Amino acid sequence: MGIEFKKFIPSLLVLVFSVPAAGQSDAVSELYQEAVELTEAGDMWGVIEVLDSIAELDPDYAPVYIDRGMIYRDLGELDLSLQDYTTAIELDTSFGSAYYGRGMTYFYMAEYENALADLEEAIILSPYESDYYNARGASFKALGQSELALQDFDRAIELDPESSSGYNNRGWLMYDMGNVQQAIDDLTIAVSLDPGNELAYMHRGVIYADMGEMELALQDFDRAIEIKPDYAQCISYRGDTYSAMGQMQKAIEDYNAAIALAPARDVIYFNRGLCYLEVGNYQGAADDLSMVISLNPADVEAYVNRVEASMNLGSYEAALEDLGTALEMGYDPGFIYNNMAVAHMNMGQYDTALEDLNQAVSHDPDNPDRYFTRGDYLWTIGDLEGSMADFERVLELDPNNLTAHLRMGFGYLSADQLEEANYHYSAAAELDPGDPDILYYRAYTNFRLENYDRALSDFDVLMQQVPDDPTYYSVRGWIYGKTGQTDRAMEDFATAIELDPYCKTAYLNRGETCLETGDYDQALEDLDRVIELDSYAAQAYYSRARVHEALGNDEAAQEDYATASSMGYYGQ
């Protein structure tokens, strides 16, 4: 993709073929006529055979080599094309078209310095050929000399204002130089001058996609493919657009079509592999990324992405092998060791996993993700102190890391360090005020700290967000009870039970609130209901023992106390 040159149109070959020189035999003239007829029939290898015959009849006639060199280039026979143009130049150095043709062949061989030298010679010989400036501009662009390329494209348009390819080339250069609007303008002119210019449509589509204008991009890609149905590159770019839009199935269909047309293009396999990862087709992803590696063994990203496929397939040894290869190729060691740790964890090699995580941190000490992963791992193996130290470091590097605040909150809450837990839940609530779980935990820590007004305030906001959660009514009712607002407490308990007649928390909290207010009959009824719903509810046995005790049912009280203690509950 990129630069456009004047298209080779077989029906116009008669205008390109050199006119036989005066005095040449009738046989040569007849052969040239035969070449024209074969060209119109699309038999380009037949044309080559005719030009071979002309060269045999007149081996010193330079134009025949120019004609044959052009056809060889368009047939993809670049070495043969180069030989013919060189022969033409050796025979006669006055043909600008010979230097132009050889320069174009060098360009397609990616020998841009050689291309530039020939195209400069062509322009000296023929300074008013728009195509020559287009080609030299392309060579400058390929060499990263954008300003010189722009001068040549401007000159090409000046010489031929109706040149669609000139506007296409300048537009694509403008995009590379960051002038997006000028690029769009030039490409729009290109397609207005030549509605059949599929390359200009594709270029404009790429720019629209980069701007996030996906529907406009799709329109341009569709038009380019309509013009040229076997346009593998454009079909692939349309697939990229569908992928960016989250339409993975359409993307995969386009990649399938592009691969059928261009089975050796590694980038299409790579992008289809990423789509397969996205939709969970991990074997398909692994196969595609393996194909990328076979086509381009130096593509480190293919190894890295194949790791994800292997991990999800449970092929941890394969994942480790790819990670090792990526590390040898110079990929980010922090990333590599982090993922090696994940593989070793899944293989049950926990000590090795921890060594990997330590390596990841040492190689990438300013990356909060490395500390987060190690902190998460330490949390799972019960090393709360080590885990909290890592999450604290995460917050030093990234103070707005929501998940780290939540981890710290959970950690401090489990250690009964309520002030610290409340601090982190408050920080998390500021970062994500719409998350009801965060508000719930902050309300809970406020309740435990006896900051009842703050706890109730959080529940008010929480229950506006989630008005139908019986647990929230149950807990708020409990807080109302603790603050002497018995009527409100009973209203909340009743609402919770109406929402969920099996809500154990509502019955337990109402039972304990009634115990505190002396409504023993209601307390006994509610606690019986909790035990009916959950025969292992130790706290309910303990609280019912207190009710029995208050009612003078000493034997029943002792029996419930014993049951609660057998479950490890001794009151709070």
Side-chain angles (χ1 to χ4, degrees):
M1 186 186 70
I3 297 302
E4 179 185 14
F5 304 107
K6 182 173 286 184
K7 298 174 186 175
F8 172 68
I9 305 173
S11 64
L12 298 183
L13 188 57
V14 66
L15 303 179
V16 177
F17 276 147
S18 308
V19 178
Q24 282 192 314
S25 69
D26 291 340
V28 171
S29 298
E30 289 173 4
L31 286 170
Y32 263 111
Q33 182 57 42
E34 183 182 350
V36 171
E37 292 170 0
L38 289 169
T39 298
E40 291 173 346
D43 183 3
M44 303 314 297
W45 283 107
V47 175
I48 291 289
E49 290 180 8
V50 172
L51 294 176
D52 289 346
S53 298
I54 296 173
E56 288 177 9
L57 289 171
D58 190 351
D60 295 326
Y61 184 52
V64 73
Y65 298 100
I66 297 173
D67 292 334
R68 193 171 64 181
M70 176 189 65
I71 297 172
Y72 273 137
R73 184 180 64 240
D74 289 328
L75 291 171
E77 298 289 344
L78 299 182
D79 288 336
L80 293 175
S81 172
L82 193 64
Q83 288 176 25
D84 271 354
Y85 282 124
T86 300
T87 299
I89 291 167
E90 289 172 351
L91 290 170
D92 189 339
T93 59
S94 67
F95 283 100
S97 58
Y99 287 101
Y100 167 72
R102 191 171 69 174
M104 290 281 289
T105 300
Y106 276 131
F107 182 88
Y108 284 116
M109 297 173 78
E111 296 186 24
Y112 302 120
E113 294 285 0
N114 287 333
L116 195 60
D118 273 351
L119 291 165
E120 287 177 348
E121 189 65 30
I123 288 171
I124 291 170
L125 292 167
S126 302
Y128 300 106
E129 288 288 341
S130 173
D131 290 341
Y132 294 5
Y133 289 95
N134 257 327
R136 190 174 68 175
S139 299
F140 279 132
K141 182 177 184 294
L143 291 167
Q145 300 179 45
S146 298
E147 292 298 334
L148 291 175
L150 181 57
Q151 290 175 26
D152 271 354
F153 292 145
D154 285 343
R155 180 61 174 152
I157 292 169
E158 180 184 347
L159 290 168
D160 185 3
E162 301 300 311
S163 170
S164 176
S165 59
Y167 283 102
N168 171 74
N169 294 344
R170 190 175 69 179
W172 195 235
L173 176 66
M174 287 290 97
Y175 175 58
D176 276 357
M177 295 175 73
N179 192 339
V180 175
Q181 190 55 56
Q182 180 64 52
I184 293 288
D185 291 345
D186 273 353
L187 292 166
T188 301
I189 294 172
V191 297
S192 70
L193 290 168
D194 179 7
N197 188 334
E198 75 279 358
L199 186 59
Y201 279 109
M202 184 179 74
H203 282 164
R204 193 172 66 175
V206 169
I207 297 172
Y208 278 138
D210 193 41
M211 294 168 64
E213 297 286 352
M214 298 305 185
E215 293 300 334
L216 292 175
L218 288 176
Q219 290 175 25
D220 275 351
F221 292 141
D222 287 346
R223 177 61 182 141
I225 294 165
E226 180 184 349
I227 296 167
K228 185 178 179 182
D230 61 350
Y231 203 172
Q233 190 171 30
C234 192
I235 295 169
S236 176
Y237 280 121
R238 188 174 66 180
D240 295 343
T241 304
Y242 279 129
S243 176
M245 296 170 72
Q247 299 183 37
M248 297 302 167
Q249 192 53 49
K250 286 187 175 181
I252 290 168
E253 289 171 5
D254 270 350
Y255 292 139
N256 292 343
I259 286 170
L261 292 165
R265 292 199 62 204
D266 59 299
V267 67
I268 308 176
Y269 290 101
F270 184 88
N271 289 337
R272 188 175 68 175
L274 295 187
C275 279
Y276 280 143
L277 285 176
E278 190 68 26
V279 301
N281 182 354
Y282 300 116
Q283 188 58 59
D287 292 343
D288 272 356
L289 293 165
S290 295
M291 178 60 77
V292 175
I293 291 166
S294 70
L295 292 169
N296 182 11
D299 189 339
V300 67
E301 292 292 344
Y303 292 97
V304 169
N305 282 280
R306 192 168 66 174
V307 167
E308 182 180 348
S310 296
M311 290 277 206
N312 281 283
L313 291 168
S315 303
Y316 303 117
E317 290 287 357
L320 286 169
E321 184 176 346
D322 276 348
L323 288 165
T325 300
L327 186 63
E328 291 173 1
M329 295 171 74
Y331 205 79
D332 174 15
F335 174 91
I336 296 296
Y337 282 110
N338 193 78
N339 283 276
M340 283 182 168
V342 174
H344 283 125
M345 286 181 209
N346 282 290
M347 295 169 72
Q349 300 175 13
Y350 301 112
D351 290 342
T352 305
L354 185 55
E355 292 173 8
D356 288 335
L357 292 170
N358 291 337
Q359 284 275 22
V361 169
S362 68
H363 281 286
D364 205 358
D366 296 322
N367 188 334
D369 292 343
R370 305 295 169 244
Y371 293 95
F372 188 96
T373 305
R374 188 174 66 180
D376 221 24
Y377 173 71
L378 293 173
W379 181 284
T380 63
I381 64 174
D383 184 354
L384 183 60
E385 183 178 352
S387 175
M388 296 287 280
D390 272 348
F391 288 130
E392 186 172 0
R393 178 63 175 148
V394 171
L395 291 172
E396 288 175 7
L397 295 167
D398 181 11
N400 293 326
N401 190 305
L402 173 64
T403 310
H405 279 297
L406 291 174
R407 287 284 198 276
M408 294 291 282
F410 286 132
Y412 281 123
L413 184 59
S414 65
D416 222 29
Q417 295 177 248
L418 300 177
E419 290 285 358
E420 291 82 355
N422 188 261
Y423 166 80
H424 286 289
Y425 285 130
S426 294
E430 288 181 13
L431 292 169
D432 189 359
D435 189 321
D437 290 337
I438 297 172
L439 282 176
Y440 178 81
Y441 279 108
R442 186 173 70 176
Y444 178 74
T445 56
N446 275 321
F447 166 70
R448 291 278 308 278
L449 289 164
E450 300 184 2
N451 297 328
Y452 297 126
D453 289 343
R454 293 180 186 175
L456 288 171
S457 177
D458 277 343
F459 269 109
D460 288 343
V461 175
L462 179 60
M463 293 162 75
Q464 288 175 8
Q465 297 175 352
V466 188
D468 299 325
D469 190 315
T471 301
Y472 295 163
Y473 284 98
S474 301
V475 178
R476 189 175 71 174
W478 176 250
I479 299 171
Y480 277 139
K482 284 292 185 181
T483 58
Q485 301 178 66
T486 305
D487 291 343
R488 288 188 170 183
M490 294 305 154
E491 289 175 6
D492 272 357
F493 294 141
T495 301
I497 291 168
E498 182 181 348
L499 289 168
D500 180 7
Y502 302 97
C503 182
K504 293 181 294 182
T505 305
Y507 290 110
L508 178 63
N509 288 352
R510 186 169 70 177
E512 292 188 341
T513 300
C514 288
L515 170 61
E516 297 301 325
T517 61
D519 187 353
Y520 299 127
D521 290 340
Q522 184 63 57
L524 195 59
E525 180 182 332
D526 282 339
L527 295 167
D528 285 345
R529 178 65 171 149
V530 176
I531 292 168
E532 178 186 335
L533 292 169
D534 181 4
S535 60
Y536 294 95
Q539 187 175 342
Y541 284 106
Y542 187 90
S543 294
R544 191 173 70 173
R546 291 181 60 207
V547 175
H548 283 307
E549 198 170 47
L551 291 170
N553 302 328
D554 293 340
E555 184 175 344
Q558 291 305 314
E559 183 177 342
D560 277 349
Y561 278 135
T563 301
S565 64
S566 72
M567 297 177 183
Y569 188 84
Y570 303 97
Q572 56 181 350

